[in-house]
Amino acid sequence: MSQFVHKPVLVAEVLQALRPRAGGRYVDGTIGNGGHALSILEASSPDGFLWGCDRDARAVEVARERLAKFAGRFELKQCNFSELGVWLGRESCDGVLLDLGVSSPQLDQAERGFSFQQDGPLDMRMDQNQRLTAAELVNGESAERLAELFWQFGGESQSRRLANAIARERQAHEIETTRQLAELIERLIPRHGKRAHPATRVFQALRIAVNEEISSLKIGLEEAVKILKPSGRLAVITFHSLEDRVVKNFGRARAQDYTFTGGVDVPELRRPRAPELKWCSRKAVKPNDDEVKENPRSRSAQLRVMEKL
Ligand SMILES: C[S@@+](CC[C@H](N)C(=O)[O-])C[C@H]1O[C@@H](n2cnc3c(N)ncnc32)[C@H](O)[C@@H]1O
């Protein structure tokens, strides 16, 4: 179990957002190591209930062990949070948490292939039953498609150059490991003492593409709102601007008291309607300096909280 340690971020802020109480019904759509879930179950004692899921079967196993002392008060399942509405009833929950991205154990285990810090197979699948791996994308997609992915999901400004270099390299031999890919990128974009590794953006882009993270998030947000009761809250922690933009746009659209058609918002053509959500705070909540010092991984975390009306 020690190998599987993930320090949850913004725990106090998540509790403040979800306001767990005895008898409440909560969902953790990204159970990970169960850190947030543990706090929610503790705060909703003696009889609050939690449904938890994760795409990663190993994470579900670890969370189940970790939450054992709350037996009878939780149910866990391996699934994508985009399926929450299939699993749980409409308006059945008081709070939903989505803590996006990957966990420290996923990053730290070389064989999962998420990290350029250690050598492992180019895998990056959260759900290991899935067929598509990062190696398949890197060796099978056209240079144009790779460049598009690196730009769209990683914001990599040298996306074409890197994609072309990958296409040349793989003619000689397949790129099968994280180290091979990281070294290829480092040869093209030398580090020059910069803090971030030059492969950071490409690795992020591949992970997002392999796990279809953006489309899962868009569907997951819809599903979360369906299963929330009126006055229930949705808390979402993101780790990069692409995810945050999806959450912000979703909340903004659902908090509007009008709709419009045709893709252009012309005030005279707006049609009034009741908003579905309201923001609980105007700005995203970020970890304080002490948390960032203690857990550097939290530095890019942002929490947004919405309430169903
Ligand atoms: C940052 S970790 C969550 C950590 C957790 N809050 C804790 O306290 O231990 C993110 C987890 O979400 C999972 N995940 C990411 N996208 C998912 C999705 N669409 N559906 C279900 N799980 C997902 C990952 O496999 C990973 O275990």
Side-chain angles (χ1 to χ4, degrees):
M1 181 122 160
S2 60
Q3 188 188 11
F4 261 88
V5 180
H6 175 91
K7 216 179 206 349
V9 303
L10 293 165
V11 176
E13 292 81 355
V14 164
L15 292 180
Q16 207 176 348
L18 297 183
R19 304 169 299 185
R21 55 168 174 79
R25 299 280 174 263
Y26 305 95
V27 173
D28 185 339
T30 49
I31 195 93
N33 274 194
H36 285 112
L38 191 105
S39 302
I40 294 169
L41 282 163
E42 255 159 16
S44 62
S45 288
D47 59 355
F49 195 90
L50 180 127
W51 289 276
C53 71
D54 201 292
R55 297 185 74 180
D56 188 329
R58 178 72 183 126
V60 173
E61 212 179 288
V62 171
R64 186 165 283 128
E65 266 178 52
R66 181 126 187 247
L67 301 178
K69 66 174 172 180
F70 297 105
R73 290 183 51 203
F74 68 89
E75 195 180 312
L76 303 185
K77 176 171 165 165
Q78 183 199 0
C79 73
N80 192 317
F81 58 59
S82 62
E83 296 157 30
L84 281 176
V86 180
W87 186 23
L88 303 169
R90 227 170 230 279
E91 305 205 338
S92 57
C93 311
D94 299 289
V96 177
L97 170 66
L98 303 178
D99 174 19
L100 303 175
V102 278
S103 65
S104 308
Q106 286 169 327
L107 281 171
D108 294 345
Q109 287 181 306
E111 69 273 17
R112 300 298 300 267
F114 283 107
S115 169
F116 46 77
Q117 313 275 16
Q118 346 186 26
D119 197 18
L122 256 185
D123 188 318
M124 301 197 190
R125 290 170 301 168
M126 289 177 186
D127 174 359
Q128 292 180 295
N129 294 319
Q130 172 185 310
R131 198 191 53 82
L132 182 70
T133 64
E136 280 183 45
L137 284 182
V138 166
N139 294 294
E141 289 292 352
S142 66
E144 290 71 30
R145 178 72 187 133
L146 285 178
E148 200 177 282
L149 293 178
F150 298 164
W151 171 245
Q152 193 186 354
F153 293 151
E156 174 54 67
S157 60
Q158 306 212 38
S159 54
R160 268 171 216 262
R161 187 165 162 245
L162 293 176
N164 288 336
I166 288 172
R168 273 195 307 278
E169 178 95 353
R170 71 193 186 193
Q171 281 178 345
H173 51 83
E174 292 217 327
I175 301 169
E176 283 168 343
T177 68
T178 51
R179 179 151 303 152
Q180 267 176 289
L181 181 61
E183 286 180 356
L184 169 66
I185 297 171
E186 215 171 346
R187 281 202 298 280
L188 290 157
I189 313 177
R191 203 163 178 178
H192 293 315
K194 286 201 197 105
R195 208 175 66 162
H197 191 286
T200 308
R201 286 186 286 269
V202 165
F203 271 65
Q204 175 185 302
L206 287 172
R207 195 200 82 204
I208 292 175
V210 166
N211 297 290
E212 298 186 340
E213 290 179 36
I214 301 300
S215 52
S216 288
L217 176 58
K218 287 181 179 165
I219 302 171
L221 292 169
E222 307 267 355
E223 296 295 279
V225 174
K226 272 188 214 155
I227 63 171
L228 274 177
K229 297 177 190 168
S231 302
R233 288 192 167 180
L234 168 60
V236 189
I237 302 174
T238 62
F239 288 88
H240 54 79
S241 56
L242 189 59
E243 286 171 340
D244 187 53
R245 204 174 315 133
V246 172
V247 177
K248 216 164 48 182
N249 289 341
F250 174 83
R252 205 177 273 159
R254 299 303 182 100
Q256 263 172 5
D257 58 0
Y258 62 87
T259 55
F260 58 91
T261 45
V264 185
D265 181 7
V266 180
E268 291 74 22
L269 300 181
R270 287 177 182 169
R271 284 199 309 270
R273 64 124 203 238
E276 247 184 298
L277 296 174
K278 70 170 187 192
W279 289 110
C280 296
S281 65
R282 207 170 53 78
K283 287 191 166 176
V285 180
K286 296 183 183 176
N288 61 30
D289 293 347
D290 288 345
E291 178 165 6
V292 174
K293 210 177 291 164
E294 203 196 316
N295 180 13
R297 192 185 160 273
S298 70
R299 68 181 176 277
S300 45
Q302 300 202 67
L303 168 69
R304 292 195 187 267
V305 186
M306 294 154 253
E307 186 171 307
K308 183 162 169 175
L309 295 170

